[in-house]
Each structure stands twice: as C-alpha cells, then as structure tokens.
Amino acid sequence: EVQLVQSGTEVKKPGTTVKISCRVSGHTFIDYYIHWVRQAPGKGLEWVGLVDPEDHETIYAEKFQGRVTIIADRSADTAYMEVRSLTSEDTAVYYCASPGTPHVTRYFHHWGQGSLVTVSS
Amino acid sequence: DLQMTQSPSTVSASVGDRVTITCRASQNIGSWLAWYQQKPGKAPDLLISKASSLESGVPSRFSGSGSGTEFTLTISSLQPDDFATYYCQQYNSHAFTFGQGTNLEIK
C-alpha cells in the first residue's frame, strides 16, 4: 500500500519560512513524481509544483516561482517543500500527492494527509 | 494560462437523483482530465482519469465523458456517501489546474 505521510501543523509569522515534509512508502521513491497542492480555508485546490525524485527536476506554478523550493531526498524517501516570505494568504492545508504510474505525471492517485500551515502575527 | 471552469458551483439533490457536473477548459486539453471527490477534512480521492476511465474501487454509478474543452461527471443514482465536493483537474504540458469545485449537497 502506497502511503504519503506528512509533517504536522505549523504556525508561522509573516515574512518567515516554512518547510514541510512528505515521507513515501509502498513504492519505489525515485520512480514517481511528487506534487504539492494547497487548499486555503474554504477554498479550492491549487497546484504548487512538482519534483522528479529520479533527476531532481522541478516545475513550479508561475505564481510560486522564486518563493517555493521542492526537493527530494532519495536517501530518506522523503520530499520537502519550503515556502519563503510567508503572508496570511499562504494559510492553507498543503498536500503532497503522487501519480499511480511510474515516470508519468498527469493525475494524483495517492495523497498525504495534509499539513496545516497558519500564518499569523 | 489555461483555466478550468466548473458548473454549477453548488448543486442540491436527493438520494437516487442523477447529477451532472460540467468542466470547461479554456483551450483544448484532449482527454487529459481527471475528477476528484473531497470530503471535509480529507484529502481528495481520484475518481476518474483520462476523462472517462473509472479508477479501481470507484462505484460504477460514477462516469465521465468529454474531450477537447468540455467534460462532464455524472452520478447516475446518488447515494448518501456521494455528498461531497467534486473537482476537475487538467494536465497540459506540465501545468496542472483544478476547477473551482462543485459542492454537492443534500436537498
């Protein structure tokens, strides 16, 4: 069974940085892209970016370019997402997700449980 | 940027009803469209991929259709477990976009 287990709730002040982890088990880590998707309170889903653990290639949604970094640690089967210069608009649940087919990334079959990030002064 | 527009934003229905949700893409995406169900406090679940392929374990009352720019999700006979929020999602050239969601509520 594929499982994505995320780190816990974070409370951050505006202007600071948060780093969230996503540990993967149940399939070969380097064969499956890892995506990050966020959901602000009461709002819809928003794709943030992805990493290919095999070659560490990353792609980000345009609005997050330069403020978000996604990495994959192959030694720990864990992906990380760092968001810098936090504002209240970054308050959201952040999900990691992965496709069900190796080396293909179109849909999100497996999801983490979500990590709530609250940005407040 | 490619936009996905879902309608309606809310639908009220009863158990046993047939419900259809529409998703329109601002440009041709072929069949690269998925549908998800999300319940409060939970991560989304993938229901349908490639516009019409039902994922393993998803009840057959769910179906998807469409290609190009217009897609539909149909639930043929609503069950109590189906009241949730539904999202479409497109894939196009390593860009991923979700619709704004449709809240399916009990009438």
Side-chain angles (χ1 to χ4, degrees), chain A residues 33 35 37 39 43-47 50 57 59-62 95 105-109 111-114, chain B residues 1 31-34 36 38 41-44 46 49-51 55 87 89 91 94-96 98-100:
Chain A
Y33 291 81
H35 295 254
V37 175
Q39 187 169 37
K43 301 297 185 183
L45 301 167
E46 182 175 33
W47 181 73
L50 67 83
E57 178 191 12
I59 299 174
Y60 302 101
E62 191 171 341
Y95 294 101
T105 184
R106 298 190 178 99
Y107 314 114
F108 314 126
H109 291 74
W111 294 73
Q113 83 276 19
Chain B
D1 287 356
S31 296
W32 299 124
L33 185 105
Y36 299 82
Q38 187 181 32
K42 300 293 186 183
L46 178 62
S49 61
K50 207 173 180 184
E55 291 296 311
Y87 294 93
Q89 173 248 318
Y91 162 78
H94 276 326
F96 303 81
F98 291 91
Q100 73 271 34

